[in-house]
């Protein structure tokens, strides 16, 4: 036999459970907003490079050595990027990736959307016979490292 009071109590408990469970389910299964989709980062294509000039002169005749290069970095993305470049080279068998000094006011190089940036370097260094002279420097690679903003 069915007790009416027990049936009524079970219906009330069920309503109470649904009342508290409904907001949780709505939060869990809610659709994402357009703002969330806009905030997701777009996957960027790799920045490419082209060596326009790389030249090392071990003795310029002025008691100095000279290293100069021009590297063109191309951004194939539809958005501008910021970062810093690094050049790796072989100096008489020693593989080096020197750290560049960057200005304090804006430490990043910028490449516009679907554009390019040419990095230039031209430095003469006094020869020091005590330390020895580098006979050759050969270019190995370049990379544009994106800033994580």
């Amino acid at each position: 036999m069915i007790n009416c009071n027990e049936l009524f109590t079970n219906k009330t408990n069920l309503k109470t459970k649904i009342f508290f469970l409904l907001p949780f389910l709505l939060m869990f299964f809610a659709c994402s907003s357009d703002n969330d989709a806009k905030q997701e980062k777009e996957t960027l294509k790799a920045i490419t490079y082209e060596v326009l000039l790389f030249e090392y002169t071990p003795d310029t005749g002025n008691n100095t050595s000279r290293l100069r290069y021009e590297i063109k970095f191309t951004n194939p993305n539809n958005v501008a990027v910021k970062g810093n470049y690094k050049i790796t080279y072989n100096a008489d068998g020693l593989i080096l990736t020197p750290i560049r000094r960057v200005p304090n006011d804006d430490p990043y190089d910028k490449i516009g959307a679907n554009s390019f940036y040419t990095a230039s370097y031209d430095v003469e260094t006094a020869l020091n016979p005590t330390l020895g002279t580098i006979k050759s420097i050969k270019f190995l690679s370049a990379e544009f490292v994106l800033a994580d903003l």
Side-chain angles (χ1 to χ4, degrees):
M1 186 169 200
I2 298 177
N3 183 346
C4 289
N5 284 336
E6 191 177 299
L7 184 62
F8 179 74
T9 305
N10 285 339
K11 283 185 178 181
T12 305
N13 284 339
L14 183 60
K15 286 180 182 178
T16 305
K17 288 178 184 176
I18 289 175
F19 177 75
F20 286 110
L21 189 59
L22 186 62
F24 174 75
L25 290 174
L26 288 175
M27 286 184 346
F28 185 73
F29 292 109
C31 296
S32 66
S33 69
D34 288 340
N35 291 340
D36 292 340
K38 289 178 184 176
Q39 290 178 356
E40 290 180 21
K41 288 186 178 182
E42 181 181 329
T43 302
L44 298 176
K45 297 174 190 166
I47 306 301
T48 60
Y49 72 88
E50 177 185 353
V51 178
L52 304 176
L53 169 73
F54 192 89
E55 179 181 78
Y56 174 70
T57 307
D59 188 350
T60 62
N62 296 329
N63 204 27
T64 62
S65 63
R66 180 181 185 191
L67 175 62
R68 66 184 185 139
Y69 59 76
E70 290 181 9
I71 313 275
K72 178 181 173 181
F73 292 94
T74 302
N75 175 12
N77 298 291
N78 293 326
V79 295
V81 295
K82 285 183 175 184
N84 296 108
Y85 70 89
K86 61 182 183 176
I87 306 295
T88 301
Y89 53 82
N90 180 335
D92 288 344
L94 183 63
I95 308 302
L96 300 170
T97 305
I99 297 172
R100 277 187 325 123
R101 279 193 169 160
V102 294
N104 291 334
D105 55 338
D106 190 0
Y108 299 113
D109 297 311
K110 297 168 191 65
I111 309 176
N114 299 303
S115 187
F116 66 89
Y117 162 75
T118 302
S120 298
Y121 183 84
D122 188 353
V123 173
E124 284 193 43
T125 306
L127 295 176
N128 186 340
T130 308
L131 297 176
T133 303
I134 296 174
K135 294 179 177 103
S136 72
I137 296 180
K138 293 181 173 56
F139 174 84
L140 295 178
S141 67
E143 180 182 3
F144 192 87
V145 181
L146 298 176
D148 189 27
L149 302 175

